[in-house]
Amino acid sequence: MEGNVQSSYRIAIIPGDGIGKEVVPAAQQVLAALPLSITFVPLQAGWEIFEQTGSALPHSTASVIRGCDGALFGATQSPSHLVEGYSSPILALRKQLDLYANLRPVMSMPVPGSRPNIDLLIVRENTECLYVRQERLEDDGKTAVAQRVITRRASERIARKAFDQACARSTARTAQRPPLVTIVHKANVLSITDGLFRTACLDVARDFPDVQVEEQLVDSMVYRLIREPERYDVVVAPNLYGDIISDAAAALVGGLGLASSANASDNFVLAEPVHGSAPDIAGKGIANPVAAILAAAQLLEALGETNAAGRIRQAVHHTLAAGVLGPDLGGTAGTQEITERVITQLQTEKTD
Ligand code: NAI
Ligand code: MG
């Protein structure tokens, strides 16, 4: 998928619930302001559509998305208790489209509270581990058991994705040293499941002699990530560890309002902000749209539109550096104001 400005794209737009319906239209406005030919295909998913139709992921969404070049997803609201017939549409989409890699970039931002010199990418396995959701009660409900599945196939392909990403990266760090891949596991305790993940990653590493490799137990990973985040480059982890590490890492650089992610297969990307539907602020016009806007940049990057992706990131950077911040970062700007400032910035920047 190499860059080609003549291309035209069909992008599925799935706002979902809560602030998804505010931040995804904001990101769509930013995409529409670029000199690209994009057809937006609005699709539904989530709790609201479940309440209306009994399905959180209508068949039309699941089928139409396959004819698109990529997708931008907001967030859906999932109840914490079991609701008959409801299951999370994002988990279903990851499964149906085999979006096996969750790519979460974590970069220092010009906002209060962001730590400096951070530029890392977390590559989280997205299909298995505890997220196979095989849970059961035993012993008259007094014991709860969850199955954790790790396969060699899934571990090898996520490792390959991580090493490929490491080779493709061009950062201040990789300009000075070979790229570093950190393999996260807990194989000292879970020697069979995490042991398999570890071995598969180390086997793949042999195909990448120019990449530096290290291992890190997940508990000390969280500790070191907070102590010295600037030392990391690409971090690869099983699903649950990756989920936890990436939320912790987002807190180092300005929080959930800025954190984006991409769910990727080898030929499709569904990008989304890391945050959820934020019912506490939904409908107030104060959700920070930056996470969704940066998700749009990740989507463009995956489509080979590296230049356009870079322009979005630069415009966001300038907007934040100018102090245009939402209440989540101590400012007063609303969703629309931040979006308009990013678009104005895009239009005044040079195209290189
Ligand atoms: P959340 O991410 O929605 O909110 C956590 C806190 O961060 C809230 O105080 C919220 O106001 C704030 N926040 C999040 N995004 C923000 C933004 N863009 N601007 C300003 N503040 C922001 O997580 P929470 O509260 O745990 O979950 C709410 C709902 O979202 C639940 O139903 C959950 O299942 C769902 N969820 C969905 C996800 C998805 O669709 N991928 C991911 C995470 C949660
Ligand atoms: Mg999470």
Side-chain angles (χ1 to χ4, degrees):
M1 294 194 281
E2 253 322 292
N4 175 3
V5 271
Q6 306 315 313
S7 301
S8 62
Y9 301 105
R10 279 169 63 80
I11 305 290
I13 297 289
I14 312 174
D17 300 312
I19 63 167
K21 290 193 288 187
E22 300 168 48
V23 298
V24 167
Q28 185 181 336
Q29 287 176 53
V30 172
L31 285 172
L34 290 162
L36 296 172
S37 167
I38 303 178
T39 305
F40 297 103
V41 182
L43 298 174
Q44 288 180 306
W47 179 253
E48 206 174 295
I49 189 75
F50 172 76
E51 288 200 306
Q52 287 164 20
T53 67
S55 170
L57 183 64
H59 287 302
S60 53
T61 299
S63 63
V64 171
I65 197 171
R66 289 174 188 274
C68 295
D69 298 300
L72 188 61
F73 186 91
T76 57
Q77 184 190 327
S78 294
S80 299
H81 56 282
L82 190 66
V83 172
E84 196 63 44
Y86 182 88
S87 63
S88 161
I90 187 68
L91 293 185
L93 282 170
R94 286 174 184 163
K95 194 164 190 161
Q96 288 175 21
L97 301 171
D98 199 24
L99 304 172
Y100 67 86
N102 195 311
L103 309 176
R104 295 190 173 186
V106 180
M107 258 170 279
S108 296
M109 293 287 199
V111 298
S114 173
R115 305 258 297 264
N117 305 322
I118 302 175
D119 190 352
L120 62 93
L121 175 71
I122 296 169
V123 180
R124 163 187 165 196
E125 204 287 323
N126 220 12
T127 65
E128 54 182 29
C129 187
L130 282 166
Y131 291 71
V132 296
R133 293 191 296 170
Q134 298 291 328
E135 294 187 291
R136 62 179 185 277
L137 288 173
E138 292 179 353
D139 190 21
D140 287 333
K142 291 197 280 270
T143 303
V145 180
Q147 193 174 16
R148 179 166 189 256
V149 177
I150 301 284
T151 64
R152 177 166 268 277
R153 174 175 172 269
S155 304
E156 280 182 357
R157 70 178 176 172
I158 198 66
R160 201 160 288 284
K161 180 69 94 181
F163 281 91
D164 281 341
Q165 291 283 326
C167 293
R169 270 163 76 80
S170 142
T171 64
R173 190 187 186 287
T174 59
Q176 291 165 5
R177 282 174 283 178
L180 171 68
V181 171
T182 305
I183 303 166
V184 179
H185 58 75
K186 186 79 183 173
N188 56 335
V189 177
L190 300 169
S191 59
I192 297 181
T193 46
D194 275 344
L196 179 57
F197 182 82
R198 169 183 181 271
T199 314
C201 289
L202 291 172
D203 285 350
V204 169
R206 283 200 213 102
D207 292 340
F208 296 86
D210 298 332
V211 178
Q212 225 184 310
V213 187
E214 66 175 9
E215 300 175 48
Q216 186 92 63
L217 298 176
V218 63
D219 42 356
S220 63
M221 178 71 207
V222 174
Y223 181 76
R224 284 193 84 182
L225 183 66
I226 290 165
R227 297 279 295 205
E228 34 179 350
E230 60 290 333
R231 73 176 294 282
Y232 292 100
D233 192 5
V234 173
V235 175
V236 62
N239 207 339
L240 179 63
Y241 305 154
D243 194 5
I244 295 168
I245 293 166
S246 47
D247 279 25
L252 299 172
V253 291
L256 283 174
L258 307 182
S260 69
S261 71
N263 301 274
S265 71
D266 290 328
N267 48 33
F268 193 87
V269 164
L270 181 150
E272 56 169 336
V274 169
H275 64 72
S277 61
D280 53 338
I281 58 164
K284 296 185 180 162
I286 56 168
N288 191 337
V290 167
I293 292 169
L294 292 176
Q298 268 191 275
L299 178 57
L300 289 179
E301 186 139 58
L303 292 170
E305 296 290 350
T306 317
N307 184 39
R311 286 186 61 203
I312 292 181
R313 290 197 184 104
Q314 203 182 332
V316 163
H317 200 90
H318 281 135
T319 303
L320 296 174
V324 183
L325 305 173
D328 58 319
L329 291 167
T332 55
T335 311
Q336 194 53 31
E337 183 184 346
I338 297 174
T339 308
E340 280 165 16
R341 290 291 293 264
V342 170
I343 292 171
T344 305
Q345 191 64 47
L346 259 184
Q347 287 163 345
T348 55
E349 274 170 12
K350 292 201 184 77
T351 51
D352 57 7

